[in-house]
Amino acid sequence: MRIRTLLTLLILLAAVFSAAQTAPSNSSSSESPKQVPGFDVTAMDKSADPCVDFYQYSCGNWMKNNPIPADKSRWGRFNALDEYNLYTLRDILEKAEAPGNHSAIEIKVGDYYAACMDEATIEKKGIAPLQPEMERIAAIKSKQELIPQVANMHRNGIPALFAFYSMPDMHDSTLTIANLDQGGITLPDRDYYIKDDAKSVETRQKYLEHVQKMFELAGDKPEAAASEAKTVLTIETGLAKAAMDRTERRDPKKRDHMMQATEIAAAAPNFELIQYFADNGSPKFTSLNVGNPDFFKTVNEQLNAVVLDDWKTYLRWRTLDTYAPTLSKAFVDEDFQFKGNYMSGQKEIEPRWKRCVRSTDRDLGMALGELYVDKVFGPDNKARTVKMVQAIEQAMHTDIEQLTWMSDTTKQQAYTKLQAIVNNIGYPDKWRDYSTVVVARDDYAGNHTRAASFEVKRQYNKIQKPTDRKDWTMTPPTVNAYYRAPMNDINFPAGILQPPFYGNNMDDAVNYGAIGVVIGHELTHGFDDQGRKYDAEGNLKDWWTPQDGKAFEERANCTAEEYSSFVAVKDDKGEVHLNGRLTLGENTADNGGLKLAYMALMNILGNTPVKPIDGYTPQQRFFIAYGQIWCQNVTDQQARVLAITDPHSPGRWRTNGAVENSAAFQEAFGCKAGQPMVREPACRVW
Ligand SMILES: [Zn+2]
């Protein structure tokens, strides 16, 4: 399911699976970092003028004093909290893996973690864990046998050729249905295969070298491996060319194609889709949504034109690539060299224990999360967050009331949608049951495969059933938040409900400037360029009068143009601008969130004068707290990848891009017309 998050966590993109090891595996918990401070005067660059560059003013000293650690490609206060959580989780896992009296959950996550840390056993096994999959591929004798193998790989969590998943029906969100979609590429975006600029050409060359090395590690001769790498690139380029681009896919209507299973099967006969649906372990269905029917029609011809051996090479590659981080050091290192070092500019791989904590969180996250919540998240955390959410929802109601560009007819619909938003805070009501996942203390790769298959099966089993609105997309320790249009819900994992986002000892101005804006951000997603197309029940349905829809689009265009003017990265490979269309939803949510949280804060403060703290008024502290959650340093390489793939803007523009539209900000710091942080005309949607 497509969800709107607060930020793209790089660990989801690469690090967990772009692992290699350099650090010794035994570790001491005494090195744990301190909690991240909520409001940090020492992070500021007071020599900067807040009206000229507010990001520099809020974060200048932080950026100067916090270079990117060698094992990261992006380092911000956000990541510092993520890192802090890693230490907490390690503590839990080290206790769970040690001998003692443990619950079934502790034994499961403890064994998983221990197996991941047991590098000697992993080393001894080498590529053996992959052999069954590789042998199945080798045994394929005809093109008819290809698709059953793709089905088998999908069941084991290996992405290949196309995607299949479950998702609520866009027109009846109460029912979850099957979805078939484009997929099958390895590089982070189709652009990497298609574009001809110097950097893209270089990336393809490096990718070829990487694929070749991986095949050599798997036992192939260098010449054979070189030719296999070319085959992989050629096939993936075909898949990339058939794929719809990321920005286009933001429009749900472009992905809305309800079809009979027999209909898409007939339109792309070489995919043998009826057989695939029977083989992939999903429940039976007769109709489904096809995200991009043209992809299947185009690749249908490719399936015919490319010879069988080349397809087998491609399937071997997808298997190798997916499982590399769970294999021996040589695979882990090569995988890191390309994805972590070359693509992201990360100097060193994360120590083994960090990768093993992330891996446990990914594979058994709701079990680890249960232990995490017991340890760190009290019931009063939940109660206080609920109160803030209510205050910000109230502010949104007032904000809608005051809109001059929206008719009463549309406003009534907007209130209905706002009222219907479900708030999920901390952790799910019901914990996931992993009892059927077999975890062995000496089989890391096997544990991962079994956990991945369990998750695939769990997702497939939702097909043709009432939508489970209580199932969480993120694990409790995650430092992030999300809105889901089909569910019309906002979700805040326990991991983000702590400093610098939220603290019991932090003043209201700071809590509202940080987690308050995050809450407002997620709420606004229900009303951004995508969210506004869904109604209160989460169905794709236009509830706007044509005139109000037009007024919205005009305002959104202003935001899109504003952010397109910002430079994401400028290095010896040239200058890359932000894609204002790709980031439109997130930027709308940032601008809206900032406004709503500020309104809520003003309601709380009322007319009682509040003394400045550290010399800053509550209004100023609110905006500085906002700027400071985005303090970050990013490698040029990572900034480039993010400019192409990330719907979120970088920290600098999340801060400056939003405050320059805010009259409240300009008032708080006495900014004058003509100064850089005073945009004219200001872009305002919500
Ligand atoms: Zn977001």
Side-chain angles (χ1 to χ4, degrees):
M1 184 189 318
R2 295 169 68 80
I3 58 167
R4 309 271 61 85
T5 62
L6 180 65
L7 83 166
T8 297
L9 276 186
L10 299 177
I11 52 166
L12 296 176
L13 297 177
V16 170
F17 262 111
S18 71
Q21 51 92 32
T22 48
S25 47
N26 54 347
S27 52
S28 112
S29 304
S30 60
E31 64 196 79
S32 328
K34 287 203 187 76
Q35 212 165 33
V36 185
F39 182 97
D40 190 357
V41 194
T42 66
M44 298 171 67
D45 172 3
K46 292 184 191 172
S47 72
D49 183 339
C51 299
V52 172
D53 183 348
F54 187 63
Y55 188 62
Q56 179 65 27
Y57 177 74
S58 310
C59 294
N61 267 1
W62 189 96
M63 289 189 287
K64 196 174 74 188
N65 296 327
N66 292 275
I68 305 167
D71 70 347
K72 299 285 183 294
S73 58
R74 175 167 72 175
W75 185 245
R77 295 177 87 235
F78 225 109
N79 307 88
L81 175 56
D82 178 64
E83 190 86 350
Y84 177 78
N85 286 352
L86 281 183
Y87 281 84
T88 307
L89 294 171
R90 178 175 70 171
D91 205 37
I92 293 169
L93 289 168
E94 284 183 345
K95 286 197 180 94
E97 71 159 340
N101 220 344
H102 295 308
S103 67
I105 291 172
E106 286 169 323
I107 292 169
K108 188 142 286 187
V109 298
D111 284 350
Y112 184 99
Y113 182 72
C116 178
M117 292 299 290
D118 182 1
E119 292 176 273
T121 302
I122 292 168
E123 208 54 39
K124 234 182 281 162
K125 292 192 179 191
I127 198 175
L130 283 193
Q131 285 313 335
E133 201 72 71
M134 293 304 212
E135 280 163 19
R136 275 191 290 270
I137 296 169
I140 295 173
K141 300 232 159 32
S142 69
K143 284 204 181 163
Q144 283 70 41
E145 295 170 40
L146 265 181
I147 296 298
Q149 173 57 20
V150 170
N152 192 68
M153 288 165 67
H154 285 181
R155 293 173 82 139
N156 287 331
I158 305 171
L161 193 57
F162 59 88
F164 179 85
Y165 51 95
S166 60
M167 200 182 85
D169 184 338
M170 287 196 222
H171 302 281
D172 174 12
S173 68
T174 61
L175 181 70
T176 291
I177 58 167
N179 271 266
L180 191 65
D181 215 336
Q182 65 187 45
I185 60 174
T186 305
L187 293 171
D189 191 89
R190 73 193 280 280
D191 277 10
Y192 288 98
Y193 296 89
I194 295 165
K195 286 200 168 165
D196 276 328
D197 59 282
K199 183 70 184 174
S200 303
V201 170
E202 179 197 276
T203 300
R204 287 197 287 276
Q205 182 54 38
K206 296 280 185 190
Y207 180 53
L208 277 174
E209 291 162 18
H210 165 61
V211 178
Q212 176 181 344
K213 279 185 203 144
M214 292 284 274
F215 275 120
E216 285 180 39
L217 289 174
D220 297 353
K221 296 233 158 58
E223 302 90 83
S227 139
E228 287 164 338
K230 284 192 188 120
T231 299
V232 166
L233 182 61
T234 305
I235 287 181
E236 292 190 353
T237 303
L239 300 176
K241 283 183 176 159
M244 203 190 299
D245 86 50
R246 210 174 268 278
T247 305
E248 210 182 336
R249 281 177 67 84
R250 286 187 58 74
D251 182 354
K253 289 190 187 105
K254 300 249 169 87
R255 291 177 271 115
D256 174 26
H257 309 283
M258 202 62 195
M259 296 172 91
Q260 292 298 305
T262 48
E263 194 186 342
I264 183 66
N270 295 334
F271 278 92
E272 307 279 359
L273 286 169
I274 298 301
Q275 168 148 29
Y276 170 81
F277 298 144
D279 285 352
N280 76 353
S282 67
K284 283 195 174 32
F285 55 88
T286 52
S287 59
L288 76 166
N289 186 61
V290 183
N292 180 3
D294 286 345
F295 174 85
F296 290 88
K297 291 173 195 163
T298 308
V299 178
N300 187 61
E301 182 41 38
Q302 197 184 345
L303 275 166
N304 180 45
V306 174
V307 300
L308 179 64
D309 276 349
D310 287 357
W311 282 113
K312 288 165 71 172
T313 298
Y314 166 74
L315 295 186
R316 284 179 68 218
W317 163 247
R318 291 300 318 130
T319 306
L320 265 174
D321 177 66
T322 305
Y323 281 83
T326 66
L327 302 176
S328 53
K329 185 174 186 303
F331 288 95
V332 171
D333 285 348
E334 174 54 33
D335 189 60
F336 169 76
Q337 278 310 319
F338 180 71
K339 292 182 190 162
N341 184 268
Y342 172 70
M343 290 299 287
S344 310
Q346 188 174 324
K347 291 197 180 78
E348 285 173 13
I349 190 152
E350 283 194 320
R352 182 87 194 171
W353 74 263
K354 289 187 193 173
R355 286 177 277 135
C356 288
V357 170
R358 293 191 197 283
S359 183
T360 317
D361 178 54
R362 183 200 56 225
D363 280 349
L364 301 170
M366 288 299 176
L368 179 57
E370 191 173 346
L371 302 173
Y372 174 81
V373 165
D374 279 348
K375 190 176 161 112
V376 306
F377 197 71
D380 47 332
N381 286 50
K382 198 160 179 162
R384 284 203 192 89
T385 313
V386 170
K387 263 181 91 176
M388 284 184 80
V389 171
Q390 286 165 346
I392 293 163
E393 283 175 344
Q394 183 54 47
M396 182 148 210
H397 194 279
T398 310
D399 178 49
I400 295 168
E401 263 171 7
Q402 291 170 351
L403 293 178
T404 51
W405 54 270
M406 190 187 267
S407 69
D408 276 342
T409 317
T410 307
K411 280 183 182 178
Q412 291 307 323
Q413 300 289 327
Y415 298 143
T416 305
K417 179 161 184 180
L418 174 62
Q419 190 83 39
I421 290 178
V422 174
N423 308 317
N424 297 315
I425 291 157
Y427 52 93
D429 296 344
K430 199 168 152 257
W431 291 106
R432 196 168 296 161
D433 176 9
Y434 291 100
S435 55
T436 58
V437 183
V438 175
V439 172
R441 226 170 148 105
D442 61 353
D443 186 13
Y444 175 44
N447 293 342
H448 168 65
T449 308
R450 288 184 289 273
S453 311
F454 168 83
E455 179 58 15
V456 167
K457 183 93 189 154
R458 202 179 70 79
Q459 294 295 343
Y460 285 6
N461 279 344
K462 295 177 178 179
I463 292 169
Q464 297 302 125
K465 298 214 178 69
T467 295
D468 179 2
R469 291 173 184 261
K470 291 285 172 195
D471 194 37
W472 281 58
T473 311
M474 286 177 187
T475 66
T478 309
V479 184
N480 210 335
Y482 59 99
Y483 171 80
R484 296 184 290 195
M487 313 292 197
N488 197 26
D489 64 2
I490 53 177
N491 305 266
F492 306 94
I496 197 173
L497 299 172
Q498 49 187 330
F501 290 92
Y502 176 78
N504 294 336
N505 307 327
M506 285 157 45
D507 51 311
D508 284 334
V510 172
N511 275 331
Y512 274 83
I515 196 71
V517 180
V518 174
I519 294 167
H521 172 108
E522 300 307 336
L523 275 177
T524 307
H525 271 317
F527 304 87
D528 70 14
D529 61 317
Q530 286 185 312
R532 79 174 193 90
K533 293 175 178 163
Y534 293 81
D535 68 7
E537 277 77 50
N539 295 323
L540 195 54
K541 199 167 153 195
D542 192 357
W543 46 269
W544 297 61
T545 66
Q547 207 176 359
D548 291 338
K550 204 168 151 256
F552 175 96
E553 294 300 334
E554 277 166 17
R555 279 163 176 76
N557 283 344
C558 177
T559 306
E561 279 163 27
E562 176 194 350
Y563 284 78
S564 287
S565 73
F566 298 146
V567 174
V569 60
K570 192 176 174 178
D571 61 15
D572 55 348
K573 293 278 184 322
E575 183 179 277
V576 182
H577 277 246
L578 285 186
N579 176 346
R581 289 279 155 201
L582 175 63
T583 56
L584 179 56
E586 297 301 335
N587 298 330
T588 304
D590 280 345
N591 280 270
L594 192 67
K595 181 173 181 195
L596 300 178
Y598 186 83
M599 287 171 74
L601 176 65
M602 289 306 111
N603 288 340
I604 286 171
L605 296 181
N607 294 323
T608 336
V610 180
K611 277 201 193 127
I613 304 176
D614 301 324
Y616 301 98
T617 65
Q619 288 81 353
Q620 291 171 333
R621 288 172 69 78
F622 170 88
F623 287 106
I624 297 168
Y626 174 66
Q628 289 192 341
I629 62 174
W630 299 117
C631 294
Q632 62 183 213
N633 286 308
V634 189
T635 64
D636 287 345
Q637 293 92 325
Q638 188 66 63
R640 275 180 177 275
V641 173
L642 293 174
I644 295 170
T645 59
D646 191 353
H648 306 88
S649 299
R652 168 175 298 277
W653 303 121
R654 293 191 81 154
T655 305
N656 286 355
V659 299
E660 64 182 50
N661 292 318
S662 167
F665 162 79
Q666 288 141 15
E667 195 188 323
F669 288 92
C671 303
K672 303 276 177 306
Q675 290 192 284
M677 293 296 107
V678 184
R679 189 172 187 85
E680 286 180 71
C683 297
R684 281 244 63 97
V685 182
W686 299 102

